[in-house]
Amino acid sequence: MKPPPFRYVAPDTTDDALAALADAGDEAKVVAGGQSLIPLLNMRLAAPSVLIDINQLTDLDRIEVSEARVTVGATVRQASLEHDEEAIRRLPLLGQALRHVAHPVIRNRGTVVGSIAHADPAAELPAVLAVLGGTVEVRSTAGERTLAAEDLFVGPLESSLDPTELITAASFPVPEGRWGSAFEELARRHGDYAMSGVATVVHVNGDGLVASAQAAFTGVGPVPVVVDLSGPLAGQDPTRLDTAEAVAAARGAIDPQPDIHASAEYRRHLSGVLVDRALRAAGERAWHQGGGE
């Protein structure tokens, strides 16, 4: 299979890339890693008249780690973040999720921001951004804005970005206080999109009891589905969680659809199994390591 004809543009600066986007509008697609876009082009499910390659934009190849957040530029490869010891130590959920993304050869080329911009509800990184309450930095020739994850994802492979806008970075907040995280998913084969997946964060208070818990599910809705499970879990010993009520609440909050791989009922059941595992793992980490592995 071959992609449809397009004009290839490789700007040297971010301003040039934004100008090219403004000129082409909804006729353009941005490529960095290309691990999602190139297959769509080859299958002719996408047919842009202009392809804007941002790999020359060195100012977007950055990982910044602070006490409050991990910020990842638009051309940072998934493998680069996965192996960034400082970033993963500060925010282990990134590493816990990234090891589930496809295969190492894909992560060597695919970008963190590209996966988020692609807005696939079955992908891992959008769920991580969503459960942490993260944001993206968006630029166009008209200016800059910060967009929350809950406002970015609007449907399968659909975001709220204007065609002339470029996500220049994603910002993942580091939870405050004492916390732990986990990511669980199940796919038919390793590297395939999961039938269901879940990212969880559990906070523990000064008495060593659960203060709050959040989960974000992949593959069971048109966007990452974030569920607050604080009510059923608050006040429990994080190392001995009774998750029955939380699992029931999670299953009731999602709306999985059937496909050739699994029925809706199976996906709902599976999501409950996975969130049970993830909550228990996150609770243990919150108790023992305050967010670490």
Side-chain angles (χ1 to χ4, degrees):
M1 293 181 286
K2 296 181 179 179
F6 56 81
R7 181 167 61 91
Y8 175 76
V9 179
D12 293 322
T13 69
T14 300
D15 286 343
D16 288 343
L18 298 178
L21 272 174
D23 182 59
D26 57 9
E27 294 297 316
K29 288 290 185 182
V30 174
V31 63
Q35 301 305 290
S36 297
L37 178 60
I38 299 304
L40 292 179
L41 293 175
N42 287 340
M43 291 185 287
R44 302 212 170 194
L45 297 175
S49 61
V50 180
L51 195 64
I52 301 173
D53 185 341
I54 63 170
N55 281 290
Q56 306 304 313
L57 310 184
T58 56
D59 59 314
L60 302 185
D61 187 13
R62 59 188 175 95
I63 300 174
E64 299 174 355
V65 182
S66 70
E67 289 294 312
R69 64 191 63 253
V70 174
T71 300
V72 183
T75 61
V76 173
R77 310 299 170 184
Q78 293 159 2
S80 296
L81 180 60
E82 181 183 9
H83 298 295
D84 189 300
E85 294 183 1
E86 185 181 8
I88 300 306
R89 183 168 55 250
R90 195 76 190 102
L91 196 47
L93 182 57
L94 290 171
Q96 293 157 0
L98 279 164
R99 66 177 64 116
H100 289 282
V101 176
H103 301 281
V105 68
I106 300 296
R107 300 197 293 272
N108 284 342
R109 187 65 187 170
T111 62
V112 173
V113 169
S115 177
I116 291 168
H118 190 54
D120 191 329
E124 294 85 358
L125 292 172
V128 172
L129 190 74
V131 78
L132 292 172
T135 59
V136 292
E137 300 169 10
V138 179
R139 287 183 60 188
S140 71
T141 55
E144 304 177 11
R145 63 175 177 145
T146 299
L147 194 59
E150 62 187 84
D151 299 320
L152 174 64
F153 306 115
V154 297
L157 308 184
E158 183 182 4
S159 74
S160 60
L161 292 177
D162 185 87
T164 63
E165 290 183 313
L166 173 70
I167 299 179
T168 56
S171 182
F172 299 88
V174 176
E176 296 180 356
R178 190 174 173 186
W179 59 279
S181 63
F183 193 100
E184 294 282 346
E185 71 174 36
L186 181 68
R188 294 176 67 246
R189 297 177 303 176
H190 174 68
D192 285 358
Y193 278 119
M195 289 180 284
S196 178
V198 61
T200 58
V201 177
V202 173
H203 291 80
V204 173
N205 62 25
D207 294 324
L209 303 176
V210 174
S212 65
Q214 291 78 36
F217 291 88
T218 73
V220 293
V223 298
V225 181
V226 180
V227 185
D228 187 350
L229 299 174
S230 303
L233 296 175
Q236 292 194 38
D237 180 341
T239 66
R240 297 181 177 85
L241 291 177
D242 179 353
T243 64
E245 189 177 345
V247 168
R251 285 175 171 154
I254 62 177
D255 185 24
Q257 300 298 309
D259 60 20
I260 61 172
H261 301 300
S263 67
E265 292 76 14
Y266 178 75
R267 289 183 190 273
R268 191 183 304 277
H269 170 76
L270 176 61
S271 297
V273 173
L274 294 175
V275 77
D276 171 69
R277 294 177 184 172
L279 288 169
R280 293 181 186 279
E284 288 279 353
R285 288 168 178 155
W287 173 255
H288 292 292
Q289 300 177 26
E293 292 280 5

